[in-house]
Amino acid sequence: QVQLVESGGGLVQPGGSLRLSCAASGSIFSIYNMGWYRQAPGQQRELVARITRGGSTNYADSVKGRFTISRDNAKNTVYLQMNSLKPEDTAVYFCKFDAIRDYWGRGTQVTVSS
């Protein structure tokens, strides 16, 4: 069964940067959107950024200008470059692929703290 595997999370100081990656463990036919979501303790999961197969992007207002999503269709991989990180960005980050069905990763922890 194909799985999504995230990497790149960790502990970073405010103002720092991290780059998340999410790759499929096998082939997924016809992926439409790829996205990143996050969930902080006690809060609902929210969309952070999404990118279409054609490269169009949309971002949550809270991350615009700081985060950049990109994808490599040949590698079935999506990335999230996160700059100028703030403590409120602390959450578990999940990737999601929209195809014939939805695929979710298991999440990677991002902690922004001094």
Side-chain angles (χ1 to χ4, degrees):
Q1 185 174 355
V2 176
Q3 296 181 337
L4 302 187
V5 180
E6 299 105 334
S7 61
L11 173 64
V12 64
Q13 292 187 341
S17 298
L18 284 174
R19 187 182 191 228
L20 305 183
S21 300
C22 171
S25 61
S27 296
I28 300 176
F29 179 72
S30 192
I31 300 171
Y32 306 114
N33 301 326
M34 294 180 174
W36 287 96
Y37 292 72
R38 68 186 180 187
Q39 187 167 18
Q43 305 212 359
Q44 290 188 335
R45 191 172 297 188
E46 63 174 358
L47 174 67
V48 176
R50 182 190 291 122
I51 183 167
T52 69
R53 185 161 51 189
S56 297
T57 59
N58 65 286
Y59 297 91
D61 287 344
S62 58
V63 307
K64 283 180 181 176
R66 301 188 297 122
F67 290 10
T68 302
I69 189 171
S70 59
R71 64 189 280 173
D72 184 331
N73 291 327
K75 296 181 179 180
N76 278 354
T77 301
V78 64
Y79 306 96
L80 186 68
Q81 178 66 44
M82 304 186 294
N83 298 329
S84 302
L85 282 160
K86 304 176 181 180
E88 51 264 44
D89 294 317
T90 295
V92 178
Y93 285 69
F94 301 87
C95 60
K96 177 176 177 279
F97 289 4
D98 301 333
I100 193 167
R101 71 169 183 89
D102 293 345
Y103 294 82
W104 284 93
R106 293 188 174 185
T108 184
Q109 177 69 46
V110 172
T111 302
V112 185
S113 175
S114 55

